[in-house]
PDB file of all heavy atoms in Angstrom:
ATOM      1  N   ASP A 167      -5.688   2.418  -5.052  1.00 98.00           N
ATOM      2  CA  ASP A 167      -5.553   3.863  -5.013  1.00 98.00           C
ATOM      3  C   ASP A 167      -6.215   4.375  -6.308  1.00 98.00           C
ATOM      4  O   ASP A 167      -6.213   3.700  -7.322  1.00 98.00           O
ATOM      5  CB  ASP A 167      -4.088   4.272  -4.973  1.00 98.00           C
ATOM      6  CG  ASP A 167      -3.871   5.722  -4.758  1.00 98.00           C
ATOM      7  OD1 ASP A 167      -3.956   6.495  -5.788  1.00 98.00           O
ATOM      8  OD2 ASP A 167      -3.614   6.163  -3.666  1.00 98.00           O
ATOM      9  N   HIS A 169      -5.251   6.583  -8.306  1.00 98.00           N
ATOM     10  CA  HIS A 169      -4.286   6.889  -9.362  1.00 98.00           C
ATOM     11  C   HIS A 169      -3.577   5.599  -9.794  1.00 98.00           C
ATOM     12  O   HIS A 169      -3.391   4.694  -8.999  1.00 98.00           O
ATOM     13  CB  HIS A 169      -3.261   7.878  -8.814  1.00 98.00           C
ATOM     14  CG  HIS A 169      -3.852   9.132  -8.281  1.00 98.00           C
ATOM     15  ND1 HIS A 169      -4.067   9.381  -6.917  1.00 98.00           N
ATOM     16  CD2 HIS A 169      -4.383  10.203  -8.967  1.00 98.00           C
ATOM     17  CE1 HIS A 169      -4.681  10.547  -6.810  1.00 98.00           C
ATOM     18  NE2 HIS A 169      -4.863  11.068  -7.999  1.00 98.00           N
ATOM     19  N   ASP A 244      -8.319   7.643  -1.688  1.00 98.00           N
ATOM     20  CA  ASP A 244      -8.705   8.746  -2.602  1.00 98.00           C
ATOM     21  C   ASP A 244      -9.814   8.451  -3.637  1.00 98.00           C
ATOM     22  O   ASP A 244     -10.214   9.413  -4.318  1.00 98.00           O
ATOM     23  CB  ASP A 244      -7.427   9.371  -3.270  1.00 98.00           C
ATOM     24  CG  ASP A 244      -6.470   8.351  -3.816  1.00 98.00           C
ATOM     25  OD1 ASP A 244      -6.808   7.184  -3.936  1.00 98.00           O
ATOM     26  OD2 ASP A 244      -5.292   8.794  -4.160  1.00 98.00           O
ATOM     27  N   GLY A 285      -2.855   6.834  -1.181  1.00 97.00           N
ATOM     28  CA  GLY A 285      -3.284   8.238  -1.211  1.00 97.00           C
ATOM     29  C   GLY A 285      -4.593   8.548  -0.509  1.00 97.00           C
ATOM     30  O   GLY A 285      -5.374   7.649  -0.244  1.00 97.00           O
TER      31      GLY A 285
HETATM   32 ZN1   ZN N 107      -3.676   8.305  -5.197  1.00 68.99          ZN
END
Side-chain angles (χ1 to χ4, degrees):
D167 186 279
H169 303 100
D244 46 14

